Amino acid sequence: QFDLAESGGGLVQPGGSLRLSCKTTRATLGTYTYGWFRQAPGKEREGISCISGHESFAMYGDSVKGRFTISRDEANSVVYLRMNNLKPEDTAVYYCAADWRPYVNSCPLNMGTYYFWGQGTQVTVSS
């Protein structure tokens, strides 16, 4: 059992950037796989990126591919999501989640496999 805490959200203009952080209470990230999800008002939660516990294999949803980058900071037990060229349609509550399975050459973007979840951080993209 461990907790996840997201931070770094806020209000940003279209075309701007933000970096979200997901801090765990574990001493290390371990071999867990981590994912970022988002949920806009009236919409279902969407998987946007994940990074595996085996060799940090990363995957991205089509809506963010080429603009978002996920990374692991093992020393500080933090998973980051760098978001560039933000668009109004990126406005949502962003959640990080953890799956105890390390996966090899893949990671899941479906929320059903993730057991541990943070409380979310709001990202608003507006001029």
Side-chain angles (χ1 to χ4, degrees):
Q1 177 69 37
F2 65 98
D3 294 324
L4 303 170
E6 304 92 339
S7 63
L11 174 64
V12 63
Q13 292 186 343
S17 298
L18 283 175
R19 188 181 73 166
L20 303 184
S21 300
C22 175
K23 182 76 171 74
T24 81
T25 55
R26 289 176 54 90
T28 68
L29 294 177
T31 56
Y32 283 63
T33 292
Y34 294 86
W36 281 99
F37 297 78
R38 68 185 181 188
Q39 189 165 18
K43 295 188 177 181
E44 294 186 353
R45 194 168 295 190
E46 171 192 14
I48 56 173
S49 185
C50 57
I51 188 164
S52 73
H54 180 77
E55 297 187 347
S56 297
F57 183 91
M59 291 186 66
Y60 300 91
D62 290 341
S63 61
V64 305
K65 199 172 296 182
R67 300 188 297 124
F68 290 11
T69 304
I70 192 171
S71 61
R72 300 168 65 111
D73 180 347
E74 304 289 348
N76 295 300
S77 298
V78 179
V79 177
Y80 295 108
L81 184 69
R82 176 68 180 182
M83 307 186 296
N84 295 328
N85 190 23
L86 283 161
K87 305 174 181 180
E89 51 264 42
D90 294 317
T91 295
V93 178
Y94 283 70
Y95 300 89
C96 70
D99 180 343
W100 62 268
R101 288 160 287 205
Y103 296 94
V104 177
N105 294 331
S106 72
C107 56
L109 288 176
N110 55 303
M111 58 184 287
T113 69
Y114 291 85
Y115 188 78
F116 304 104
W117 288 84
Q119 294 300 306
T121 185
Q122 175 71 46
V123 172
T124 302
V125 185
S126 175
S127 55

